[in-house]
Amino acid sequence: MNTITEPQQSLQSADKARREAIKLEKRLCREVGRAIIDFNMIEEGDKIMVCMSGGKDSYTLLDILRKLQKRAPISFSIVAVNLDQKQPGFPDHILPEYFKSLGVDYHIETQDTYSIVKRVIPEGKTTCGLCSRLRRAILYTVAEQLGATKIALGHHRDDILQTMMLNMFFGGRMKGMPPKLVSDDGKHVVIRPLAYIPEKDTRQWAEYQQFPIIPCNLCGSQDNLQRQVVGDMLRDWDKKYPGRLESMFRSMQNVVTTHMMDPKLHDFKGAKATGQANPDGDTAFDPDTFTENFAPQAEGDTLGIAISVQKSATQEACS
């Protein structure tokens, strides 16, 4: 009888971890590439400003975009940007050292928004709203100064779902985070290449890559934020009902405006019987097609990392 020694067990565990990491990397590359293609996020000659907070999501975003950059059928450049908000104890050496180790172009913008937020927002109140507005204004200015054509943020699928639920619960509107948007002044294009990525994947990738994570001492340190509560609820659903979040996310891409209640999107007042059949008409009495479980999309062949919608995807995997 052969017994597996402790060193052999250790080697087998390490080998399994490597195989899982390769699968995860391919999935991240494939899904980011798919989002870029679906929404035409990156075009020939773009300069992408990747906003780096020092959290797991922004590290993952920069890492995957750099991998895709090497295989893309088009040319684009990347500049990593960190906004140092002068939070007490912020280790301002970590990101510059990380960027230098990669050889990536970077810019550190120092603005004391921390003091502004602490002065304006009463103790115990949520700081996220003001903090995000200040950050957005500064990042738009930096993008203009650097000549960036796109601003890439690290929001993932779960962030998008949380935002939709928060707006439904507390804002009385159906609104999420778009994968691509133009700023109100028309000067900037914001993209979210991680739109198809679940948070658990960025967490696993950050752990595997051992990114030097920097905790947030402002928004991230607040207890019982509504976003945190909704996030916990979604994570609980994901455990109890596998596939529910995938279904919810797909629903955001399949909006039937005639069966909602927004008169700005559909002319309910003007709806009249015409006597003519409409192949895209009423589906209110169609049989339900709901299923209890939703199988995840099959891995299949790794999709190519084409970033221009005019070019077909290649079959080369990201490795």
Side-chain angles (χ1 to χ4, degrees):
M1 180 178 178
N2 293 328
T3 10
I4 299 176
T5 64
E6 201 168 305
Q8 286 175 322
Q9 285 180 332
S10 179
L11 284 171
Q12 287 177 354
S13 297
D15 188 50
K16 182 181 178 182
R18 279 193 298 270
R19 290 198 305 270
E20 290 300 317
I22 290 170
K23 286 171 61 178
L24 175 58
E25 182 177 5
K26 287 182 177 181
R27 185 164 67 249
L28 287 168
C29 287
R30 184 186 68 241
E31 292 304 299
V32 171
R34 187 164 68 92
I36 289 171
I37 295 168
D38 286 352
F39 302 102
N40 195 26
M41 292 184 183
I42 299 179
E43 300 167 279
E44 178 70 38
D46 268 341
K47 183 173 186 178
I48 311 298
M49 186 176 104
V50 181
C51 299
M52 296 290 299
S53 65
K56 65 184 185 339
D57 304 322
S58 60
Y59 276 117
T60 299
L61 174 64
L62 178 63
D63 186 46
I64 300 302
L65 283 182
R66 292 183 73 243
K67 292 180 189 305
L68 300 189
Q69 185 185 32
K70 295 173 183 176
R71 293 165 168 77
I74 60 171
S75 174
F76 65 94
S77 60
I78 290 173
V79 56
V81 170
N82 168 249
L83 172 58
D84 181 352
Q85 299 176 271
K86 303 311 295 179
Q87 296 178 16
F90 180 78
D92 57 10
H93 63 284
I94 289 181
L95 282 169
E97 289 176 1
Y98 179 74
F99 297 146
K100 288 175 184 175
S101 72
L102 296 179
V104 68
D105 189 20
Y106 74 94
H107 172 81
I108 306 295
E109 181 70 17
T110 303
Q111 298 278 351
D112 188 3
T113 61
Y114 181 87
S115 297
I116 297 172
V117 170
K118 297 301 283 185
R119 184 177 71 249
V120 173
I121 303 296
E123 191 67 31
K125 297 293 183 181
T126 303
T127 60
C128 296
L130 177 59
C131 184
S132 63
R133 286 195 297 274
L134 292 172
R135 279 204 315 269
R136 187 184 310 124
I138 293 168
L139 290 173
Y140 283 168
T141 301
V142 172
E144 196 164 353
Q145 292 170 349
L146 296 177
T149 55
K150 303 282 174 61
I151 301 171
L153 304 179
H155 297 122
H156 45 64
R157 184 202 68 182
D158 296 35
D159 288 325
I160 294 172
L161 283 174
Q162 287 171 23
T163 301
M164 182 181 72
M165 301 298 283
L166 284 165
N167 275 306
M168 288 174 63
F169 293 164
F170 306 105
R173 56 185 174 178
M174 295 285 288
K175 179 183 177 183
M177 284 179 175
K180 179 181 179 182
L181 64 86
V182 178
S183 61
D184 292 344
D185 61 8
K187 294 181 179 179
H188 307 283
V189 177
V190 177
I191 59 175
R192 295 183 169 98
L194 299 182
Y196 291 156
I197 304 295
E199 183 179 20
K200 59 188 176 184
D201 282 358
T202 65
R203 184 183 298 110
Q204 289 174 7
W205 189 242
E207 290 172 359
Y208 178 76
Q209 293 289 74
Q210 296 186 320
F211 294 134
I213 304 297
I214 302 173
C216 173
N217 296 322
L218 192 55
C219 303
S221 62
Q222 293 185 282
D223 295 323
N224 298 319
L225 292 176
Q226 292 298 345
R227 180 172 288 277
Q228 179 182 325
V229 172
V230 170
D232 290 342
M233 180 187 72
L234 291 175
R235 282 184 285 273
D236 187 52
W237 281 357
D238 197 33
K239 289 177 184 175
K240 291 181 179 177
Y241 312 104
R244 177 172 288 188
L245 299 194
E246 284 82 356
S247 179
M248 290 172 62
F249 188 73
R250 285 200 302 273
S251 75
M252 298 183 71
Q253 298 172 284
N254 292 281
V255 180
V256 184
T257 58
T258 57
H259 288 64
M260 300 297 283
M261 295 181 65
D262 190 339
K264 297 186 295 296
L265 299 179
H266 182 71
D267 182 16
F268 293 101
K269 288 184 177 180
K272 292 180 174 58
T274 63
Q276 301 295 319
N278 180 0
D280 300 318
D282 178 48
T283 57
F285 301 104
D286 286 356
D288 290 342
T289 55
F290 307 140
T291 55
E292 191 63 31
N293 295 303
F294 300 89
Q297 184 178 353
E299 288 276 340
D301 293 332
T302 304
L303 294 184
I305 313 303
I307 299 186
S308 172
V309 291
Q310 289 85 15
K311 299 185 180 183
S312 59
T314 68
Q315 294 301 311
E316 181 177 8
C318 173
S319 58

